[in-house]
Amino acid sequence: MSTSETSRFVRLRVEMVLEITDPDALSGTALESIAAEYGEPGGESAEERVLAEAAVREDGAEALASLVDPFDLVGEVPGVELAQASWSSESIDYDPDDPDSWDLDDEDDEADEDETEDGAQGGGGVPHNG
């Protein structure tokens, strides 16, 4: 039997390039999400909260990664249960008018190199909202 006949698990890779049009709105929403996740300042996770807040204030990519939840992509899909997810976000040089700026072959090679022994890919450093 082939792998597709025996495995119920599917790896779905999604790649997007997003333009941050309002950095203040993005970081503000990320800060609200962190506040909701960690509760009152000064609690048990105060140090983690301070680090997460600093990261989303300084870097739009970190703010975005903290707000993205893969469960939201598949949570309403019938017959599917999210078994494992990881994601990351990074600032890139991107020219929407350059046809070579969307080269998925290079990204697939890098993603394969980044996989861990258990097949998981490295995720973002900021806690996610989920």
Side-chain angles (χ1 to χ4, degrees):
M1 290 187 162
S2 71
T3 302
S4 63
E5 293 172 339
T6 60
S7 179
R8 300 179 326 191
F9 297 94
V10 174
R11 180 182 305 251
L12 173 66
R13 293 184 187 202
V14 177
E15 179 152 343
M16 296 184 277
V17 175
L18 305 170
E19 179 181 2
I20 297 174
T21 59
D22 189 343
D24 293 334
L26 176 61
S27 63
T29 302
L31 290 169
E32 290 173 8
S33 176
I34 290 169
E37 183 173 344
Y38 285 100
E40 293 296 319
E44 292 179 17
S45 304
E47 185 176 340
E48 288 179 34
R49 179 180 176 153
V50 168
L51 292 173
E53 288 175 342
V56 302
R57 281 187 182 103
E58 294 173 13
D59 186 356
E62 290 289 347
L64 182 61
S66 75
L67 293 169
V68 170
D69 186 351
F71 181 78
D72 291 342
L73 296 173
V74 297
E76 298 296 320
V77 177
V80 175
E81 182 177 328
L82 182 62
Q84 180 180 358
S86 66
W87 63 102
S88 64
S89 181
E90 64 183 333
S91 296
I92 61 168
D93 291 326
Y94 177 74
D95 179 0
D97 297 326
D98 180 5
D100 294 330
S101 65
W102 185 263
D103 189 4
L104 294 178
D105 290 333
D106 289 342
E107 295 298 322
D108 286 344
D109 293 341
E110 291 175 19
D112 291 343
E113 292 171 9
D114 290 344
E115 287 189 17
T116 60
E117 287 181 21
D118 66 357
Q121 293 192 357
V126 176
H128 62 85
N129 183 24

